[in-house]
Amino acid sequence: MVKIRLKRMGMKKRPFYRIVVANSTAPRDGRHIDQLGYYDPLTDPATVKIDADKAVMWLQRGAQPSETAHDLLRKEGILDRFQAAKSGATPTEAGS
């Protein structure tokens, strides 16, 4: 199974995370298939940058987001966009 999850990067006590698509059996910081963006929790407010088109493409292919990745995708509005694409409506129609 393919998962969308976080890959820890950075120095000791100074983490940032890459949002990646990886095989569910791969180690947390191991090999990944594709990189979707990054998340830096140490900035105020936390910095999140995700390529929405790639994320929706992987969700349509059946990739399952981890809990944290799911929350980040929801906050960025990507899950709404995915649901709209799934139902055939535009994102503005799905939000109304």
Side-chain angles (χ1 to χ4, degrees):
M1 178 189 295
V2 177
K3 289 196 129 338
I4 297 174
R5 63 184 186 198
L6 302 182
K7 178 178 181 176
R8 190 183 193 279
M9 307 288 288
M11 297 182 298
K12 184 167 56 170
K13 301 197 186 244
R14 301 283 306 157
F16 71 92
Y17 300 90
R18 288 189 180 160
I19 301 164
V20 298
V21 178
N23 191 329
S24 62
T25 59
R28 178 193 72 183
D29 298 334
R31 211 169 137 185
H32 62 272
I33 300 168
D34 198 2
Q35 180 177 328
L36 303 180
Y38 63 87
Y39 166 57
D40 186 356
L42 298 179
T43 59
D44 189 28
T47 306
V48 179
K49 175 138 177 46
I50 302 173
D51 184 340
D53 294 331
K54 272 189 184 181
V56 169
M57 178 192 72
W58 279 107
L59 289 168
Q60 288 173 337
R61 290 182 178 179
Q64 296 295 312
S66 67
E67 242 180 81
T68 308
H70 184 273
D71 291 343
L72 292 173
L73 292 172
R74 184 177 42 78
K75 286 178 186 172
E76 293 295 305
I78 295 171
L79 288 181
D80 293 336
R81 192 168 153 187
F82 169 63
Q83 292 296 333
K86 196 170 163 182
S87 67
T90 61
T92 55
E93 290 173 6
S96 299

